[in-house]
Amino acid sequence: MKHSGKIAFAAGLLLALHLGWRQFPDVLYSKADQPLQFSHKVHVEDSGMSCEDCHFVRDDGRFTGIPPIAKCAECHAEPLGATPHEKVLVEKYVATLTEIPWRVYSRQPDNVYFPHAAHVKTAKLACESCHGEHGKTENLRPYEQNRISGYSRDIWGPSISRISLKGERLGMKMDDCIDCHTEKKLRHSCLDCHK
Amino acid sequence: MSLGRRDLLKFLGGAAAGAIFTPVPWKLIDDVSIWTQNWSWLPLVPRGEIQSKYTTCTLCSSGCPVRVRCAGAQPVSMWGAAGHRLCPIGLSAHHLPYHPGRLARPMEHTQGGKWQPITLEAAVERISTGLSGCLRQRGSIAIVDGRAGTTASLLYKRFVAQTNAAVYIADETTARNGIDLDRTSTLLSLGVPLQDSWGEPGHVMRLQADGKLTVIHAEARASATASLADTWLPLAPGAETAFVLALAHVILKDGIYDRGRIQKAENFRSFETLIAAFSPERVAAATGLAPDVIGDVARQLAQAGPSVVLAESRPGVDGADELATAVAALNLLIGSEGSEGGILARPEVPVHDSLKDASRVPATTLAAVPDHSVKVLWLDDAEIPWAVLERKLAPEHLVISVSAWPTGAAAHAGLFVPAPLFLESVRDAAAPADSAAAWFRITSPVLPAPPESREGVDLLSQVAEKIGLTPTDSLVDHLHRRAEAIRTAGHGQVVSYADGTATGIAAFSSAEDFWNALANGGAWTQAASAKAPPRLRLPGENSSLEKTMRTATPPPSNPGTAAELPLVVSAYTGPPAASPVLSKLYEESGLKEPPDTAFIHPQTAERAGLKPGARAMVEAGNVKRPVLLEISTLVMPGTLHVSAAPEFHPARPKHSIAGTTAANGRLVRARIWNV
């Protein structure tokens, strides 16, 4: 056949593009459910809480991160509702004061020092700048972990290409930090984040 | 349709071309590189509560307050506390316990000059045998204490008091006197690394910036201190004593001193006669400084006071005693002894009754120890050139070193017992040179010490028991008792490392409260007060200063060939190791000069036909050593500077350039040629 070579080349090209763009991310990231479902929406919209009610900066400047079970126990000493997750929360974790082994989407590697106080308090950066609409979600999406690096997918960002046509922030890699600092004309050096 | 081999290859080619335009290769490169950073065997910071602990850095005598940031139990960063800054080495001191040059096990030297590990019990046995063999021979045991003025020093003295066989060798100058630097107006430094490793980091610079202190630095090379001084005097190497005496000459001649006080000093007339020979005109050639420059410096010292003159301390080195005598005389002349902004006697840190007798045991200088008389030499963090110590050793001898680092003189020890680092132990810090106050500051362990490491005094106590002498309680016990003695005495205050606030000692109701305040980050201090010395004594005509003019010879103005150049050695002091992480912050050459590097002025190199950047050989006395030759405009023309680094190779230290200069005098001449 006259064009069989071109067709074979094109077929190989298209197959590689398909596998690389569509299949590769599914292979690269493993998925795991969170130990418990949690609705930010219920807490923020229905209960009228703000991000800072649970994720706050202590007086000494340290960020609390994910609140300890003691914080949950302040309201959930008794079940608030009849969902199966509420039952697990109260019986398995609150009653025994066992910390919930959350899989943290935004966990930075050990070699990164990220002060929330400097960003949230001093620079008045909104939580959404880095965490997107996570604070309005109804359910916790599965945690995706890079099988090679072990990092959360949120560090790289949802788009495997790290290209955003809408211009929103992509992830939490060092490049994203540098882009933001450059955009805001902030000086930065290696030791700011890598102590 | 049939597909052939060629089509398959084209298919694979297409796939390869397509893959390039997918994230696969690029993402895999990123992930694999991250994966290599997270191998399980790589040390990682443990997860845990971030907390701050406070301790005192004892890497040098500055005793800086330190905030140690810990993740879980692991120290991950070091910061200065209570308004103090840390030097670059202090900033990464938490890496030092893991430094590959650190020895954590007792070692002995084999016949072939290599280290061989032995057990602590075997080391104690060998030391006991060595000590018991010379307990009846007066002066045959020498203990060299590198941290004079600490509680450990008292325990060494206590041992010495038990036997006539032992002498205690230490430089107690800083322990007894301190400089009231915050009130000093003019500081003349003779080669003292004021900006590098002297006193609290940044202290001198801060006073200069505030316009409170003028620094005149005399050194042959444009070192960091010289560069930051208000005036740099490129003083020819070896002419320091002549320069100091010329300054005294000008002050006496101009009569710009406290006549009523100084003329009553012992030896005044004799000193006047001695000084007459050191006119600026006469020493100008030897010092390389114009007579009017010497005159101006002398007048500035005398008239822009309070002034202090400091010289680099080189214990045991020929010529050092003469320089110290001359500097003391000049300080007396300009009225810095016992006056505000000058050199003040430090208030004594109270001592518990059990060590009061020991505190009266005098320290001996190395110079007072007869050559070839020492059979057992005990080194505790002593930074004395080996060639100086070697002269004192009997033909049959045992050298014991208790230190974390087998470097410098410790590299020559027959027996090495590791000491814990300050992050691993409880000890007190020596007094800082840039303060005249009394201090009691202790370290708090944040890491476990290696199981076979021992504080020197604890090891000696163990040995003492074995050889029939009275052992002492542990250093920690004595520190507790001293803290209680301080509290009972009721003077001074405790400065908190956390916020710099001071609390009067009366506020501590129990010994435990006081100890906890120190152990959790606090320094007890008592301010010094100005008090004129009861007896003034100047060196006279018969003093060793007389030979100064004979030894101070001018450097050749035109060396012609590189056959004979005055050699200046930048000896390495302070902790022998720096964390490799520092190289990310600073160029290592900016922190410490690279070892075995010779620096020569371009003019000198050109005249001598030496090629920079090439290997060269330096020969000084009977020592020949390969060096890397660097051209530097910072060194004085007609001189040769060699950086002497700590020796990590015990087989080589006999070829140490530093040892050569020490053994042969303050100034030797060296040959250098390209190889």
Side-chain angles (χ1 to χ4, degrees), chain A residues 33-68:
Chain A
D33 287 330
Q34 295 286 1
L36 201 65
Q37 268 308 327
F38 176 86
S39 172
H40 276 99
K41 192 179 176 191
V42 167
H43 287 79
V44 175
E45 292 183 5
D46 300 353
S47 306
M49 296 169 74
S50 69
C51 302
E52 291 76 24
D53 286 335
C54 296
H55 312 283
F56 59 90
V57 178
R58 295 191 185 102
D59 290 341
D60 63 0
R62 288 182 291 156
F63 184 61
T64 50
I66 291 180

Side-chain angles (χ1 to χ4, degrees), chain B residues 255-277:
Chain B
I256 41 178
Y257 62 97
D258 184 350
R259 286 167 193 259
R261 185 161 167 259
I262 299 298
Q263 287 185 355
K264 286 180 196 157
E266 196 178 331
N267 287 335
F268 175 76
R269 293 294 163 207
S270 179
F271 180 68
E272 214 174 21
T273 311
L274 172 79
I275 287 299

Side-chain angles (χ1 to χ4, degrees), chain B residues 45-126:
Chain B
V45 175
R47 292 206 174 277
E49 190 188 351
I50 303 292
Q51 52 185 322
S52 292
K53 295 178 181 175
Y54 293 93
T55 187
T56 308
C57 176
T58 58
L59 287 176
C60 71
S61 65
S62 298
C64 295
V66 176
R67 178 166 70 88
V68 188
R69 188 167 170 265
C70 297
Q74 182 68 40
V76 292
S77 67
M78 313 273 286
W79 301 89
H84 279 241
R85 291 147 186 82
L86 290 187
C87 68
I89 295 177
L91 280 171
S92 61
H94 56 301
H95 298 161
L96 295 181
Y98 313 101
H99 194 284
R102 186 217 177 155
L103 287 186
R105 295 184 60 187
M107 308 286 262
E108 68 175 347
H109 258 140
T110 61
Q111 296 282 347
K114 290 186 176 173
W115 288 116
Q116 177 179 291
I118 56 169
T119 62
L120 185 62
E121 291 72 29
V124 170
E125 194 61 47
R126 222 185 127 194

Side-chain angles (χ1 to χ4, degrees), chain A residues 78-96:
Chain A
E78 296 296 328
L80 296 175
T83 65
H85 291 293
E86 181 70 19
K87 188 167 186 281
V88 173
L89 169 69
V90 174
E91 291 179 2
K92 187 174 176 184
Y93 297 110
V94 173
T96 58

Side-chain angles (χ1 to χ4, degrees), chain B residues 269-638:
Chain B
R269 293 294 163 207
S270 179
F271 180 68
E272 214 174 21
T273 311
L274 172 79
I275 287 299
F278 291 88
S279 67
E281 291 74 19
R282 194 164 169 220
V283 303
T287 57
L289 301 173
D292 58 335
V293 171
I294 298 173
D296 289 346
V297 172
R299 286 175 204 108
Q300 191 173 354
L301 282 174
Q303 294 170 338
S307 303
V308 174
V309 183
L310 289 175
E312 193 180 8
S313 168
R314 291 188 178 181
V317 175
D318 289 349
D321 291 343
E322 285 80 9
L323 179 60
T325 307
V327 167
L330 183 57
N331 275 319
L332 208 64
L333 213 55
I334 60 177
S336 69
E337 293 282 352
S339 61
E340 275 187 8
I343 300 167
L344 301 183
R346 235 179 256 286
E348 283 186 16
V349 180
V351 173
H352 186 258
D353 289 344
S354 61
L355 288 177
K356 273 194 174 147
D357 288 343
S359 67
R360 287 188 275 272
V361 173
T364 309
T365 62
L366 256 184
V369 175
D371 288 353
H372 314 300
S373 64
V374 176
K375 291 192 168 179
V376 176
L377 177 63
W378 181 287
L379 303 172
D380 189 333
D381 264 351
E383 285 178 9
I384 294 177
W386 172 247
V388 174
L389 294 168
E390 197 176 24
R391 282 202 300 246
K392 306 296 175 188
L393 293 176
E396 290 291 317
H397 59 259
L398 172 65
V399 180
I400 304 144
S401 174
V402 189
S403 171
W405 311 101
T407 57
H412 302 261
L415 205 58
F416 178 91
V417 179
L421 292 166
F422 78 91
L423 289 173
E424 304 167 336
S425 65
V426 184
R427 60 169 72 146
D428 55 340
D434 58 340
S435 157
W439 293 91
F440 186 67
R441 302 162 294 180
I442 58 170
T443 60
S444 295
V446 292
L447 282 170
E452 292 192 290
S453 65
R454 289 288 182 279
E455 287 288 355
V457 285
D458 290 340
L459 179 70
L460 190 60
S461 172
Q462 203 174 336
V463 172
E465 189 169 19
K466 246 180 156 23
I467 61 175
L469 298 176
T470 314
T472 64
D473 291 331
S474 70
L475 175 61
V476 177
D477 290 338
H478 280 285
L479 287 170
H480 275 278
R481 283 177 205 155
R482 194 163 197 189
E484 176 53 6
I486 293 168
R487 193 189 71 85
T488 310
H491 304 298
Q493 57 187 5
V494 174
V495 179
S496 162
Y497 288 177
D499 53 18
T501 54
T503 307
I505 201 161
F508 298 95
S509 55
S510 69
E512 196 182 349
D513 278 353
F514 183 57
W515 178 263
N516 287 340
L518 298 175
N520 296 331
W524 171 83
T525 181
Q526 185 186 346
S529 50
K531 190 178 173 187
R535 180 167 160 257
L536 301 184
R537 188 168 189 275
L538 286 162
E541 281 175 282
N542 297 327
S543 73
S544 56
L545 291 177
E546 218 184 5
K547 71 175 184 185
T548 301
M549 276 312 287
R550 292 200 299 272
T551 55
T553 52
S557 55
N558 181 359
T561 68
E564 292 280 308
L565 293 172
L567 174 66
V568 180
V569 172
S570 314
Y572 191 107
T573 55
S579 165
V581 172
L582 280 175
S583 59
K584 293 183 180 177
L585 292 168
Y586 302 91
E587 285 185 37
E588 281 181 43
S589 57
L591 285 172
K592 293 286 175 193
E593 284 166 349
D596 294 335
T597 306
F599 300 91
I600 198 165
H601 193 276
Q603 286 173 5
T604 316
E606 194 182 340
R607 284 175 187 161
L610 293 165
K611 290 179 192 165
R615 300 300 303 178
M617 195 67 80
V618 168
E619 187 177 27
N622 57 355
V623 170
K624 204 173 0 175
R625 186 158 179 121
V627 293
L628 182 70
L629 181 63
E630 294 282 351
I631 300 298
S632 171
T633 52
L634 301 181
V635 304
M636 179 180 276

Side-chain angles (χ1 to χ4, degrees), chain B residues 152-232:
Chain B
S153 307
L154 295 175
L155 293 172
Y156 277 132
K157 287 183 171 187
R158 186 176 185 274
F159 177 86
V160 167
Q162 288 188 64
T163 166
N164 285 332
V167 289
Y168 172 77
I169 298 166
D171 181 356
E172 293 187 320
T173 314
T174 308
R176 294 182 188 286
N177 304 308
I179 296 166
D180 189 16
L181 192 66
D182 289 329
R183 292 187 282 189
T184 305
S185 295
T186 306
L187 181 62
L188 169 63
S189 148
L190 297 152
V192 179
L194 297 175
Q195 308 282 8
D196 292 332
S197 54
W198 182 88
E200 180 204 336
H203 192 181
V204 170
M205 203 185 294
R206 200 167 60 239
L207 292 170
Q208 282 179 277
D210 293 345
K212 294 176 180 169
L213 179 68
T214 301
V215 174
I216 305 166
H217 186 72
E219 190 181 4
R221 192 172 41 149
S223 60
T225 301
S227 309
L228 293 165
D230 296 281
T231 305
W232 168 44

Side-chain angles (χ1 to χ4, degrees), chain A residues 1 4-21 24-25 28-29 62 107-111 113 146-151 156 160-161 173 191 195, chain B residues 1-3 6-8 10-19 21-24 26-28 30-32 34-35 37-38 44-45 47 49-51 69 76-77 79 584-585:
Chain A
M1 201 170 126
S4 64
K6 289 179 182 172
I7 293 169
F9 184 86
L13 185 82
L14 290 171
L15 182 66
L17 288 172
H18 171 74
L19 292 174
W21 287 102
F24 174 63
L28 183 64
Y29 293 105
R62 288 182 291 156
R107 167 89 74 208
Q108 284 289 329
D110 289 329
N111 62 348
Y113 170 76
N146 188 307
R147 293 180 199 272
I148 300 171
S149 68
Y151 290 2
W156 179 267
I160 194 71
S161 66
K173 277 183 78 70
L191 289 168
K195 299 289 183 191
Chain B
M1 178 180 128
S2 65
L3 294 173
R6 185 180 293 267
D7 295 325
L8 180 65
K10 287 191 173 177
F11 174 80
L12 293 175
F21 294 100
T22 69
V24 175
W26 321 112
K27 182 82 174 97
L28 287 179
D30 187 75
D31 288 345
V32 169
I34 294 170
W35 172 67
Q37 296 163 21
N38 290 296
L44 292 174
V45 175
R47 292 206 174 277
E49 190 188 351
I50 303 292
Q51 52 185 322
R69 188 167 170 265
V76 292
S77 67
W79 301 89
K584 293 183 180 177
L585 292 168

